[in-house]
Amino acid sequence: MAKVSANYEVVYIIDPNLGEEEIAATVEKFKTLAEQNGSAVEVEEWGKRKLAYAIDYKTEGYYVLMSFTSAPSFPKELDRILGITEGILRSMIVCKDV
C-alpha cells in the first residue's frame, strides 16, 4: 500500500543581499505554501552563515530549515517553485521516512 503522506525536510539558502524584509517575506511564502499543501509545518531560521563554497560569487547565505508532512506530490512542486524563485541560492528536500 502506498503512503498517503510522509515527513520531509527542506533546507534552502536565501541571498542575504535581499534585505531583512524580502528574506522574511520569502520565508513566509514557503511556510504558507507548505501549510496549504501539508501539515505539521515547522520553520527554523538558522540565519546568515558563511557558505562552504561561493555560489554566484556570494560567500554568505541566509539558511532556513523547514520540516512538514505532506503527500509525495508536494515536495516535487516545492522543489520546482524554489528553483524559479528569485533570491534562492540552493535548496534540498529530504524525505525522513526512508
Side-chain angles (χ1 to χ4, degrees), residues 3 10 25 29 40 76-77 88:
K3 278 193 175 178
V10 57
K29 169 186 172 177
K76 194 174 274 187
E77 176 64 7
I88 299 293

Side-chain angles (χ1 to χ4, degrees), residues 10 12 30 77-85 88 91 93:
V10 57
Y12 56 95
F30 288 110
E77 176 64 7
L78 177 63
D79 193 42
R80 185 188 73 78
I81 295 168
L82 281 161
I84 60 172
T85 301
I88 299 293
S91 65
I93 302 173

Side-chain angles (χ1 to χ4, degrees), residues 27-62:
V27 171
E28 192 56 40
K29 169 186 172 177
F30 288 110
K31 180 179 186 221
T32 302
L33 192 62
E35 287 171 343
Q36 289 168 347
N37 293 280
S39 61
V41 179
E42 288 181 39
V43 177
E44 212 179 291
E45 293 186 43
W46 293 347
K48 198 190 262 191
R49 295 184 175 197
K50 193 163 175 40
L51 299 172
Y53 54 90
I55 301 172
D56 297 333
Y57 304 105
K58 294 171 180 64
T59 56
E60 287 188 326
Y62 190 89

